[in-house]
């Protein structure tokens, strides 16, 4: 009987340890998955720093000089609010932006998009967007309104 109790206790201990180890391993795997998920989309490589990828830096330079389309910028930076019209944002595709154009003119839309207005953040969070890119993004929204 005592032998049985001892065996049972040791089996329980082994099981317990296994659970603890499995939890620890899972936690480590979860942490790696989270780090992978929240890591920045891009990395900055300062010119002259040859420890980071020159080809990547060249690609960034090439892509920014080629310019991004209004659709690209809209999807990346504006759709989160304008897609559904949350916070009072003129909703994409339902004529709201055209109404704003009629009220404010393109200069007004540009000024409000660049400086921000109420819940609309400056440049709609596209901080590296040039004024031309903001304008082509607004134009894309108007064209599809
Ligand atoms: C965080 C949410 C949010 C994001 C992201 C956002 N907007 Fe807006 N936007 C708004 C809201 C809210 C308004 C309405 C502001 C008001 O008139 O009260 C608005 C209004 C505007 C207007 C109309 C301004 C006017 O004069 O009536 C333009 C143009 C505009 N946004 C462009 C953009 C562009 C371009 C982007 C992406 C580069 C963008 N927005 C991203 C929330 C957002």
């Amino acid at each position: 009987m005592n032998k049985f109790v001892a065996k049972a206790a040791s089996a329980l201990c082994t099981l317990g340890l296994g659970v603890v180890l499995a939890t620890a391993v899972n936690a480590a795997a979860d942490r790696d998955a989270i780090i992978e998920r929240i890591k920045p989309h891009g990395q900055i490589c300062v010119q002259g720093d040859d420890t980071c990828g020159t080809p990547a830096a060249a690609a960034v330079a090439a892509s920014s000089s080629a310019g991004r389309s209004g659709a690209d910028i809209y999807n990346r930076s504006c759709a989160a609010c304008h897609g559904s019209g949350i916070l009072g944002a003129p909703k994409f595709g339902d004529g709201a932006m055209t109404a704003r154009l009629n009220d404010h003119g393109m200069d007004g839309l540009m000024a409000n998009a660049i400086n921000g207005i109420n819940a609309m953040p400056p440049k709609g969070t596209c901080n590296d967007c040039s004024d031309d890119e903001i304008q082509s993004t607004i134009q894309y929204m108007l064209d599809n309104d």
Side-chain angles (χ1 to χ4, degrees):
M1 185 60 159
N2 272 347
K3 230 177 173 184
F4 174 74
V5 170
K7 268 200 171 161
S10 114
L12 274 179
C13 272
T14 314
L15 190 68
L17 187 64
V19 169
V20 168
L21 279 178
T23 313
V25 168
N26 274 344
D30 285 352
R31 202 193 47 224
D32 288 350
I34 290 168
I35 289 172
E36 180 65 22
R37 238 188 350 260
I38 64 172
K39 76 174 184 194
H41 285 297
Q43 286 178 331
I44 292 180
C45 181
V46 178
Q47 198 172 18
D49 177 359
D50 46 15
T51 61
C52 53
T54 319
V60 166
S63 78
S64 58
S65 67
R68 296 163 290 191
S69 74
D72 292 342
I73 295 168
Y74 171 78
N75 287 322
R76 191 175 56 114
S77 303
C78 324
C81 295
H82 287 273
S84 58
I86 55 164
L87 307 170
K91 190 174 170 193
F92 187 80
D94 79 347
M97 196 58 92
T98 307
R100 297 284 183 134
L101 177 68
N102 294 336
D103 287 349
H104 301 160
M106 190 46 133
D107 288 351
L109 293 189
M110 277 294 285
N112 289 332
I114 289 168
N115 302 322
I117 172 175
N118 299 324
M120 162 74 195
K123 290 191 171 186
T125 69
C126 182
N127 297 324
D128 64 347
C129 274
S130 66
D131 292 0
D132 283 352
E133 286 176 319
I134 293 291
Q135 180 152 10
S136 60
T137 308
I138 296 173
Q139 194 57 54
Y140 168 78
M141 293 162 95
L142 289 168
D143 290 347
N144 291 280
D145 215 15

